[in-house]
Amino acid sequence: MQKKMSYSFPNEVLEHIFSFIQSDKDRNAVSLVCKSWYEIERWCRRKIFVGNCYAVSPGMVIRRFPEVRSVELKGKPHFADFNLVPDGWGGYVLPWIAEMAGAYPWLEEIRLKRMVVTDESLELIAKSFKNFKVLVLSTCEGFSTDGLAAIAASCKNLRELNLQESDVDDLSGHWLSHFPETYTSLVSLNVSCLVSDEVSLSALERLVGRCPNLRTLRLNRAVPLDKIANILRCAPQLVEFGTGTYAAELRPDVFSNVFSNLAGAFSNCKELRSLSGFWDVVPAYLPAIYSVCSGLTSLNLSYATIQSPDLIKLVSHCPSLQRLLVLDYIEDGGLEALASSCKDLQELRVFPSDPFAVEPNVSLTEQGLVTISLGCPKLQSVLYFCRRMSNAALVTIAQNRPNLTRFRLCIIEPKTADYLSLEPLDVGFGAIVEQCKDLRRLSLSGLLTDRVFEYIGTYAKKLEMLSVAFAGDSDLGLHHVLSGCESLRKLEIRDCPFGDKALLANAAKLETMRSLWMSSCSVSFRACKLLGQKMPRVNVEVIEEREPPDSRPESCPVDKLYIYRSVAGPRFDMPPFVWTMDEDSALRLS
Amino acid sequence: MSKPLEHDYIGLTETSSMERSSEKISSSSSSSTHSIEDNTSKTTNNTSLNLKETELRLGLPGSQSPERKVSLFGKDLESNDKSNGFSVSPLKNLVSGAKRGFSDAIEGSNGKWVFPMNGKSDVELAKGAVLASPRGGLESKGNSQQVKVSVPALKEVGGVPQSPKPVQDKKNLIPPANEHASAPAAKAQVVGWPPIRSFRKNTMASNLAKNINDAADCLYVKVSMDGAPYLRKVDLKTCKNYMELSSALEKMFSCFTIGQCSSHGLPERDGLSESRLMDLLHGSEYVLTYEDKDSDWMLVGDVPWKMFTDSCRRLRIMKGAEAIGLAPRAKEKCKNQN
């Protein structure tokens, strides 16, 4: 006798239950339970995250999820940040906006990363989505302040405008004036990437003054220090603030005025937890922020060209610090002070002040990182640029901090060996992956053989993103990673002797990952064609700027290779220097 | 580290381009890194192998070597070369050659402007490392009728691997960009290493420049070209003078004209410069201009190189007709600045 399974819950109840499930992973799992759950879930999913804009087409997304309110898209591969992806590669958002304009009139949030956004796209957003609230453009490019003006003028309900490190054509500061006088709903504004020297201060002050819910305000370098006090007085409720240039005159009469004004304004901001900006710092003005330091959890001094003593003074006022971004001017001594003052530190990023100098310009070594690993028990995330490292130090760090989840080490000179033993750093990084069982992100540097990859393949079971440069000896290295790292989603490799064998042997792995980038390696054109042919659900793109890959013997290595899984098939917006290897490629191009 | 080679279009084309091609060939056949100082020794090697016939040149269209077969956008420019060696006004040849090349592009691509990418990423191009390999054959990938110059040339050189290890390539061919007076010169830089975002690099560059002259490692400015589908970026720090900039941009865009100047980047006596400008404006379709700190658009080439890099915000290759209005102002401004 066939018993029909029927749920006692009506759809509305299930929908209500599903509304508490926010994570994409869980939502995806829910949709796989049965057909009716799939249907219910797809009608009530409000947030979509597409990690690779070419993995799926806008049409497909819209067909499956008709009631979306929030979309997040990522475009170019991560190595685009370092100029490895040529201009014109792709990642255009306009096709998405165009389709969503018709399908999602109630769209509220768009978050984009590494995409090409044009003024046309921004204008389309401005006029298509009546309830538009959040626009985050992280590391995007292709638009100007004219496009921003359109957003400002039309989006009456805008809450957040965040241009995080985008490359914006800054035509003038007047776009801010396009926010109507009636507009008061701003909660978060980040324009720190705007490079023009002009900024409309009065428009800025008026805007800040009339938006009582403003929590985050990150200004750009053009805003002078002596205007900060006024702005802060308009918004004492700020939680996150980014200064402009942090320099003003030191003449006694000017200094005492500006300083006391500034210090007074800061002391009014009782909610302030995060500070950034600090371009062109004149150290004498730093104490103006001391009144808020005890509450600071996040401090971005990565543009502050101040020396170690000033940095030490500052961080010792910030015992609650959880996140610090700083230049290597902090030196080992400063990191020691940090380790003793900031026991809550979770994330540390140390950037190089002069990465192209041959000799080190500061006394920052592996020792600083070791000290931090010992003194900061909650440390999880590290980005560290330095000039020397040893296996001993890495082993110590691993043993001190098995709770690390993100570890990115950049030893500035490629292929630098352990400075004590002159050996490769395989053992050191091996210790990191072995001890830090929850490690999700790892960037390697220094002299490394295939052995380090063996360690990674063996131990790094939770690793999701791996960045490799100038490392390894043979295909075995790549094979270890592809066959061993079960959670691997993104792999980016440059200048390593990895070729066809490992890639072809692990072709199936590519469908389980978001993407693989390989540049200046030894993968032949033939292998690319083969992969393209054999793997229909994976797009294999060859980037060759010099000449077409088929104009050379197919055993020649390709310059750059980008492989990503996709249900949308090969894309059609490629520039002339990108070739896609699809099923026909073997026939057409040989 | 020795001073990098001065690249001079007009006088030394033969030697310098031979050196460059020999560099590429020998670097691809050997795996050891070698510095720029080795150029001169490689020249003799090259000559003895008699590879001159097959080598690629960076000379401008219309410059010497009648046997040179370079195609821009699939059209042979051989017929452009009416002169033997260098003519009195090389600019004219450059201009007419470039112009023809560009119009060919428009005609030859079925109305759609196909943007040829001439080399590696911007940094590499700007460093003058890669030989010009005009991608005439790339307009339509399947079109076998296009002349594929670069490939046969290299193929004839005894099966040299086409892609020398790029790391070494870059290290060989990139001149040091860091010009501290006291500190030792920076070594050759690799593209995208260390992994630092452009925003940070540009910010730090302007920080350092405030303290130390020429300490910034890179100075990317956007280059737009009227009619091109997207922008490129060029690193001004990798060019020592207008010649190198012109060369880098030529590789990037394959077909533009630069306001002419002497090898020192200084405007010549009025009479000569005027005639050059007239040549320029009458003879060519495209002119290189830049936006300076005051947001004025100026012709490139009128001010000393250093002044130019200090004030250049971005570049634009604009149609000659639009640029006519610029000439007088540029001269005026130069006079004011001088």
Side-chain angles (χ1 to χ4, degrees):
Chain A
M1 194 163 74
Q2 195 184 27
K3 228 184 172 177
K4 195 169 123 189
M5 277 291 284
S6 64
Y7 290 101
S8 47
F9 296 137
N11 288 357
E12 293 82 7
V13 176
L14 279 173
E15 224 182 276
H16 180 69
I17 297 172
F18 292 168
S19 71
F20 293 101
I21 300 172
Q22 302 290 347
S23 110
D24 286 326
K25 267 185 80 181
D26 293 340
R27 281 249 168 195
N28 293 342
V30 160
S31 65
L32 289 174
V33 167
C34 64
K35 281 188 185 153
S36 71
W37 279 35
Y38 176 93
E39 275 302 306
I40 298 167
E41 194 283 319
R42 81 181 185 91
W43 279 95
C44 68
R45 193 177 305 208
R46 299 280 176 263
K47 267 185 97 152
I48 297 289
F49 169 75
V50 181
N52 173 6
C53 64
Y54 291 118
V56 67
S57 73
M60 287 167 152
V61 173
I62 290 168
R63 269 195 300 281
R64 180 172 169 189
F65 301 112
E67 298 281 333
V68 163
R69 298 276 183 274
S70 162
V71 172
E72 183 174 348
L73 302 173
K74 293 191 182 180
K76 298 188 208 175
H78 173 240
F79 273 174
D81 286 355
F82 316 126
N83 294 335
L84 286 175
V85 179
D87 292 335
W89 174 86
Y92 306 105
V93 79
L94 188 59
W96 286 84
I97 307 290
E99 289 211 47
M100 295 192 300
Y104 296 150
W106 298 111
L107 190 67
E108 294 176 4
E109 305 181 352
I110 295 178
R111 294 180 171 82
L112 305 175
K113 189 165 186 180
R114 284 190 207 98
M115 294 199 76
V116 177
V117 181
T118 55
D119 286 346
E120 190 189 346
S121 309
L122 292 175
E123 282 153 23
L124 195 52
I125 292 173
K127 71 170 196 252
S128 311
F129 307 116
K130 300 297 168 215
N131 202 21
F132 196 67
K133 293 188 177 142
V134 172
L135 183 63
V136 177
L137 303 175
S138 172
T139 322
C140 294
E141 58 167 0
F143 61 102
S144 77
T145 42
D146 285 350
L148 298 177
I151 297 281
S154 309
C155 300
K156 305 192 180 351
N157 293 317
L158 192 72
R159 304 275 153 83
E160 180 174 349
L161 179 60
N162 183 344
L163 306 178
Q164 176 94 13
E165 288 179 57
S166 287
D167 186 2
V168 186
D169 200 0
D170 191 351
L171 303 172
S172 80
H174 301 306
W175 68 276
L176 268 179
S177 327
H178 287 252
F179 282 109
E181 290 301 320
T182 49
Y183 168 75
T184 57
S185 33
L186 195 61
V187 173
S188 170
L189 181 67
N190 180 345
V191 294
S192 53
C193 61
L194 294 181
V195 294
S196 157
D197 290 332
E198 281 181 51
V199 60
S200 176
L201 284 166
S202 51
L204 178 63
E205 275 176 44
R206 283 200 311 277
L207 177 64
V208 169
R210 65 177 185 272
C211 295
N213 298 321
L214 193 66
R215 290 276 170 277
T216 299
L217 179 64
R218 306 244 190 233
L219 302 172
N220 60 326
R221 198 173 186 173
V223 178
L225 188 59
D226 54 354
K227 302 294 182 203
I228 296 292
N230 278 353
I231 293 169
L232 285 177
R233 287 193 204 282
C234 295
Q237 76 282 6
L238 281 177
V239 176
E240 300 182 325
F241 181 64
T243 73
T245 181
Y246 206 82
E249 288 187 63
L250 286 172
R251 269 185 12 244
D253 50 336
V254 176
F255 177 81
S256 53
N257 253 351
V258 175
F259 184 92
S260 53
N261 214 3
L262 192 60
F266 269 113
S267 61
N268 271 343
C269 298
K270 310 281 187 216
E271 312 293 324
L272 213 46
R273 296 287 171 267
S274 165
L275 281 179
S276 63
F278 297 106
W279 285 283
D280 321 306
V281 176
V282 168
Y285 280 101
L286 276 175
I289 66 170
Y290 282 176
S291 57
V292 296
C293 280
S294 58
L296 283 185
T297 55
S298 169
L299 189 51
N300 183 351
L301 295 169
S302 64
Y303 298 104
T305 50
I306 48 178
Q307 304 301 316
S308 187
D310 296 310
L311 285 164
I312 292 176
K313 263 194 286 185
L314 186 48
V315 302
S316 29
H317 277 84
C318 306
S320 314
L321 213 52
Q322 295 171 14
R323 185 170 185 261
L324 177 66
L325 281 66
V326 74
L327 286 169
D328 58 8
Y329 290 128
I330 195 168
E331 299 192 332
D332 290 341
L335 290 175
E336 202 179 325
L338 181 66
S340 55
S341 311
C342 304
K343 295 303 184 188
D344 281 345
L345 196 68
Q346 295 173 19
E347 179 177 354
L348 175 67
R349 299 193 190 198
V350 179
F351 295 96
S353 52
D354 195 359
F356 300 103
V358 176
E359 299 301 319
N361 59 323
V362 292
S363 174
L364 179 102
T365 69
E366 82 285 3
Q367 196 47 50
L369 189 56
V370 172
T371 313
I372 290 283
S373 73
L374 191 55
C376 301
K378 301 192 188 165
L379 189 70
Q380 286 178 17
S381 172
V382 170
L383 170 62
Y384 199 78
F385 283 81
C386 61
R387 285 187 156 85
R388 74 176 201 203
M389 188 50 64
S390 66
N391 283 310
L394 284 171
V395 169
T396 308
I397 292 165
Q399 286 170 345
N400 287 343
R401 289 280 63 77
N403 48 329
L404 284 174
T405 56
R406 289 187 282 281
F407 188 74
R408 292 192 280 163
L409 180 67
C410 180
I411 305 167
I412 289 177
E413 178 64 26
K415 303 197 186 181
T416 304
D418 176 330
Y419 78 99
L420 293 169
S421 67
L422 301 182
E423 286 174 355
L425 291 168
D426 301 335
V427 167
F429 279 105
I432 294 278
V433 291
E434 189 181 353
Q435 297 293 325
C436 307
K437 307 221 186 300
D438 288 323
L439 196 69
R440 291 197 312 267
R441 184 167 180 185
L442 177 65
S443 298
L444 304 172
S445 59
L447 182 64
L448 297 164
T449 72
D450 284 344
R451 235 176 121 205
V452 72
F453 299 108
E454 193 180 346
Y455 290 133
I456 292 172
T458 307
Y459 294 111
K461 295 305 181 188
K462 299 272 182 70
L463 193 66
E464 296 178 9
M465 182 169 178
L466 178 65
S467 308
V468 185
F470 307 103
D473 311 310
S474 74
D475 272 56
L476 204 52
L478 180 57
H479 174 69
H480 284 309
V481 171
L482 290 177
S483 55
C485 297
E486 292 159 7
S487 313
L488 197 63
R489 290 190 298 113
K490 289 179 280 184
L491 179 58
E492 47 186 23
I493 302 172
R494 61 163 299 176
D495 295 278
C496 296
F498 299 148
D500 300 348
K501 289 203 242 17
L503 203 51
L504 293 173
N506 292 283
K509 174 78 174 170
L510 299 172
E511 266 188 36
T512 68
M513 292 166 54
R514 181 187 297 174
S515 66
L516 167 64
W517 169 277
M518 292 179 74
S519 57
S520 307
C521 297
S522 315
V523 180
S524 73
F525 184 53
R526 186 178 44 83
C528 297
K529 282 196 286 185
L530 205 55
L531 267 175
Q533 203 188 357
K534 298 288 183 204
M535 312 280 302
R537 282 187 302 265
V538 158
N539 283 356
V540 179
E541 293 181 7
V542 170
I543 299 173
E544 277 288 358
E545 290 181 274
R546 288 167 298 184
E547 59 215 341
D550 57 344
S551 64
R552 308 182 305 229
E554 46 169 50
S555 56
C556 285
V558 299
D559 184 25
K560 297 172 184 172
L561 174 62
Y562 186 51
I563 300 176
Y564 56 90
R565 66 178 172 190
S566 174
V567 293
R571 59 184 177 118
F572 296 107
D573 61 355
M574 298 168 301
F577 52 84
V578 175
W579 280 267
T580 193
M581 314 282 108
D582 55 24
E583 284 111 65
D584 307 325
S585 64
L587 301 163
R588 197 169 11 96
L589 295 171
S590 57
Chain B
M1 198 134 187
S2 74
K3 221 168 72 122
L5 281 182
E6 209 172 65
H7 300 300
D8 179 353
Y9 282 143
I10 310 298
L12 300 168
T13 314
E14 177 159 0
T15 326
S16 49
S17 70
M18 267 173 61
E19 282 168 335
R20 267 168 279 177
S21 60
S22 67
E23 239 177 294
K24 172 142 188 164
I25 291 162
S26 43
S27 68
S28 54
S29 53
S30 74
S31 57
S32 60
T33 53
H34 47 268
S35 65
I36 292 170
E37 300 110 87
D38 288 343
N39 283 350
T40 43
S41 58
K42 294 286 181 285
T43 309
T44 39
N45 286 344
N46 195 23
T47 326
S48 63
L49 289 170
N50 197 22
L51 296 166
K52 191 160 173 282
E53 297 279 337
T54 57
E55 75 196 5
L56 297 177
R57 301 294 194 93
L58 276 176
L60 300 169
S63 62
Q64 66 143 217
S65 82
E67 68 269 27
R68 174 175 178 239
K69 289 178 179 50
V70 174
S71 65
L72 276 179
F73 306 100
K75 297 287 160 94
D76 230 334
L77 288 179
E78 230 185 332
S79 46
N80 286 351
D81 184 43
K82 304 231 171 0
S83 60
N84 296 322
F86 296 97
S87 64
V88 172
S89 57
L91 172 62
K92 251 210 168 101
N93 285 334
L94 158 66
V95 160
S96 54
K99 175 182 180 179
R100 178 170 338 183
F102 189 75
S103 341
D104 283 341
I106 295 296
E107 285 147 27
S109 55
N110 310 322
K112 178 171 166 268
W113 200 98
V114 176
F115 192 71
M117 304 309 293
N118 238 7
K120 300 181 190 169
S121 65
D122 308 289
V123 176
E124 294 168 90
L125 286 177
K127 291 179 176 163
V130 178
L131 295 170
S133 53
R135 298 218 334 186
L138 293 173
E139 273 180 10
S140 38
K141 291 166 205 172
N143 189 340
S144 55
Q145 288 163 335
Q146 302 286 2
V147 176
K148 293 180 180 134
V149 177
S150 50
V151 173
L154 283 174
K155 272 184 177 160
E156 278 169 57
V157 182
V160 165
Q162 288 293 331
S163 306
K165 261 220 160 287
V167 175
Q168 289 151 348
D169 235 3
K170 290 160 202 157
K171 280 196 166 149
N172 296 342
L173 303 172
I174 293 167
N178 204 335
E179 290 165 7
H180 286 283
S182 49
K187 18 189 211 327
Q189 293 171 34
V190 176
V191 176
W193 190 269
I196 299 170
R197 290 188 175 186
S198 310
F199 183 74
R200 177 168 297 282
K201 272 206 264 201
N202 292 340
T203 305
M204 295 312 292
S206 57
N207 278 348
L208 289 172
K210 287 186 164 105
N211 303 327
I212 311 166
N213 278 337
D214 295 322
D217 71 286
C218 66
L219 183 58
Y220 279 98
V221 295
K222 292 187 191 169
V223 189
S224 62
M225 179 166 172
D226 292 356
Y230 44 79
L231 300 179
R232 300 301 306 265
K233 290 190 273 286
V234 68
D235 182 356
L236 289 183
K237 287 289 174 185
T238 61
C239 306
K240 301 290 170 299
N241 51 40
Y242 287 111
M243 301 299 185
E244 283 184 28
L245 175 64
S246 180
S247 165
L249 292 174
E250 186 197 7
K251 271 175 246 149
M252 234 182 260
F253 293 93
S254 288
C255 54
F256 74 96
T257 326
I258 186 174
Q260 211 27 268
C261 54
S262 71
S263 56
H264 300 291
L266 294 167
E268 307 233 307
R269 281 184 295 281
D270 277 358
L272 266 174
S273 69
E274 201 164 321
S275 75
R276 276 206 309 273
L277 275 168
M278 297 313 276
D279 276 345
L280 171 74
L281 296 170
H282 287 153
S284 81
E285 269 192 48
Y286 283 85
V287 190
L288 183 60
T289 62
Y290 72 103
E291 183 185 21
D292 72 359
K293 282 192 171 133
D294 306 326
S295 300
D296 293 323
W297 286 93
M298 322 267 282
L299 272 181
V300 169
D302 287 343
V303 303
W305 174 254
K306 181 73 174 58
M307 200 182 297
F308 167 69
T309 55
D310 281 346
S311 62
C312 173
R313 278 245 199 103
R314 62 169 141 187
L315 293 162
R316 180 174 159 205
I317 303 170
M318 57 167 81
K319 287 196 160 40
E322 281 184 45
I324 286 175
L326 291 179
R329 229 168 69 201
K331 280 170 96 173
E332 243 175 57
K333 210 163 184 174
C334 186
K335 283 184 190 143
N336 291 342
Q337 282 164 344
N338 287 340

